[in-house]
Amino acid sequence: MNSRTVLGFDFGTKSIGVAIGQEITASAAPLLSLKAVDGIPNWDEVGQLIKEWQPDLVVVGLPLNMDGTEQDMTHRARKFANRINARFGVKIATQDERLTTTDAKARLFELGGYKSLSKGQVDAVSAVLIIESYFENQYG
């Protein structure tokens, strides 16, 4: 079992959720949500996160249609992942995230009811679920 640090991103056009995970414990924690303009974040903020956490791997959620086919957002998320790789030289992986938003809402609801469902928190918890499902796929 490795002890890599993994930074996870839940890509969205207006908001990008971010979480940090540890491979050794196969767990992750929500960090924050970055504002995005039409899917483009402030790259300095992304750079700051990469500098701060020094991830061995960045995992970006891939929004697929329920039948597994790709959609416009899938391509945009892939492009976002490739940009991270090109800009910061960090290794990237993508992870199917078809059910993460629903799961994130359910998990937040368990933790604190509707009050805790701010959009930023949902996105950050979605990023946690992206990392966790990536770990599950590696070792499941």
Side-chain angles (χ1 to χ4, degrees), residues 39-112:
I40 297 162
N42 175 334
W43 287 109
D44 292 341
E45 288 177 0
V46 176
Q48 220 29 65
L49 286 165
I50 287 171
K51 204 162 123 186
E52 185 182 342
W53 295 99
Q54 302 280 307
D56 301 289
L57 179 70
V58 166
V59 178
V60 176
L62 271 195
L64 298 164
N65 292 319
M66 278 328 243
D67 63 3
T69 56
E70 300 205 347
Q71 49 171 294
D72 179 50
M73 281 297 279
T74 318
H75 301 293
R76 297 181 72 167
R78 212 183 288 268
K79 201 160 143 188
F80 171 75
N82 291 335
R83 285 203 182 128
I84 289 176
N85 173 256
R87 273 175 190 259
F88 307 108
V90 64
K91 196 175 159 210
I92 54 163
T94 52
Q95 176 61 41
D96 175 5
E97 57 144 88
R98 273 175 280 185
L99 298 169
T100 52
T101 305
T102 314
D103 290 351
K105 286 185 176 147
R107 191 177 291 193
L108 280 168
F109 187 70
E110 277 166 27
L111 294 174

Side-chain angles (χ1 to χ4, degrees), residues 111-137:
L111 294 174
Y114 286 115
K115 291 187 297 293
S116 64
L117 291 181
S118 84
K119 177 76 174 101
Q121 282 175 300
V122 171
D123 292 338
V125 173
S126 291
V128 165
L129 296 168
I130 286 164
I131 293 175
E132 288 177 356
S133 48
Y134 172 78
F135 289 150
E136 278 164 29
N137 281 1

